[in-house]
Amino acid sequence: MLDFSDGTTVQAATALGVFDRIVCGVDESPEALEAARQAERLRSPDGLLRVAAVTDVDTAVHAGFAMSHVLTQLDESAHAALHRAIATVRPGSSHILAGSPARCLLDAVERYDATLVAAGPHGHSRALGALLGGVSATLLHEAPCSVLLARRPRFGRFPSSILVGVDGSEHSLAAAAVGMELAERFGSELCLVAATGGKAVDLAPVRELTPFFVQDPGRPVEALTELSREADLLVVGSRGLHGLTSLGSVSERVAHKALCSVLVVRPTTESTSGGSS
């Protein structure tokens, strides 16, 4: 367990800071609006939620002679999505961005020093503005902050039940700290799971954190995906690698396969960078 000079642990620092500055990408899909709702729900009491819709200029450029018409449609769609999100969650600020949706959101994360970026993981509907389905994968690869992929809750008011994957590593303990903080804040049911069917896990740090956890003999991705049927938020840790080095990581695969919302926790301090996801 890493400690700072004031006695604060990395886990505690991450738990306290991950919901402070949130950027949420919205389009006209139901998943995007759900992401905005969940981001607002998780926002720290003194935190700031920014919502952003993107006019996908790249798509318009590829429309050839119809570019002007398509660009107008995309811009109208972005404004409609933003207005709906504003009416639903009343964010601290709202933005219309222009360009590639993934790049625009990543630029916004950097510009506003976001601690969390949220999006809907689908978006393959017929709606012209449903752009964020493919963006979620890019956010998992590239975002330097924590990532929330929102799916509709099935067990009451979000987050009524929280599942956390732990393996004894520092980044998984940070995820556990976040899950425990959320469970206390919202009165949620909480289950910590150590899947022992993959790489060797170190259960001693988990026991030091809490004696109340479950061991599952399955491999992490399969075990957490199956257990996600019984939760409406799954929290997993990531050591913060980006791009090609993050491909195939447990956190990334779980985020895509889970049946509930997934929060991928990345450290809020540079002290935990390094290692593999």
Side-chain angles (χ1 to χ4, degrees):
M1 181 182 300
L2 301 180
D3 298 283
F4 300 110
S5 58
D6 65 354
T8 303
T9 65
V10 167
Q11 293 96 295
T14 299
L16 291 171
V18 70
F19 306 112
D20 285 352
R21 298 179 299 280
I22 305 174
V23 170
C24 180
V26 296
D27 58 22
E28 290 194 296
S29 66
E31 294 82 8
L33 192 61
E34 184 61 39
R37 290 194 191 98
Q38 293 185 16
E40 171 61 18
R41 175 78 166 148
L42 297 178
R43 179 181 60 84
S44 301
D46 296 324
L48 176 65
L49 169 63
R50 303 177 189 272
V51 295
V54 182
T55 300
D56 188 355
V57 176
D58 291 356
T59 294
V61 168
H62 288 94
F65 290 113
M67 181 179 69
S68 178
H69 175 67
V70 171
L71 185 60
T72 297
Q73 286 187 298
L74 289 169
D75 192 55
E76 290 175 351
S77 177
H79 278 84
L82 192 66
H83 290 156
R84 186 174 64 162
I86 292 170
T88 301
V89 301
R90 300 186 181 277
S93 68
S94 59
H95 310 267
I96 291 289
L97 309 176
S100 161
R103 180 46 50 194
C104 284
L105 288 179
L106 289 171
D107 287 346
V109 165
E110 182 176 358
R111 183 181 314 120
Y112 301 119
D113 190 25
T115 54
L116 176 68
V117 59
H122 302 299
H124 300 294
S125 71
R126 295 180 183 177
L128 185 61
L131 303 173
L132 295 181
V135 172
S136 60
T138 302
L139 295 178
L140 288 170
H141 295 334
E142 302 295 338
C145 61
S146 297
V147 179
L148 173 68
L149 300 187
R151 297 178 174 93
R152 188 179 299 276
R154 295 169 293 168
F155 301 105
R157 192 176 186 191
F158 179 86
S160 63
S161 54
I162 300 172
L163 175 69
V164 183
V166 292
D167 60 10
S169 63
E170 185 67 31
H171 62 282
S172 81
L173 296 180
V178 171
M180 294 168 75
E181 190 270 340
L182 288 176
E184 181 176 357
R185 198 167 126 198
F186 296 112
S188 313
E189 294 183 7
L190 176 67
C191 180
L192 273 62
V193 177
T196 58
K199 294 181 180 179
V201 299
D202 183 2
L203 297 181
V206 182
R207 291 191 180 97
E208 183 179 344
L209 184 66
T210 175
F212 305 107
F213 67 95
V214 174
Q215 294 186 54
D216 189 294
R219 299 177 66 84
V221 173
E222 289 74 17
L224 293 174
T225 298
E226 179 62 28
L227 290 169
S228 72
R229 298 176 183 274
E230 306 301 325
D232 55 24
L233 179 64
L234 168 60
V235 185
V236 292
S238 169
R239 288 182 178 172
L241 292 182
H242 312 304
L244 292 176
T245 52
S246 73
L247 293 175
S249 67
V250 169
S251 60
E252 177 197 332
R253 287 182 287 156
V254 166
H256 287 304
K257 291 185 175 184
L259 301 177
C260 64
S261 295
V262 177
L263 174 63
V264 178
V265 174
R266 290 191 172 119
T268 57
T269 99
E270 293 181 358
S271 299
T272 56
S273 62
S276 58
S277 294

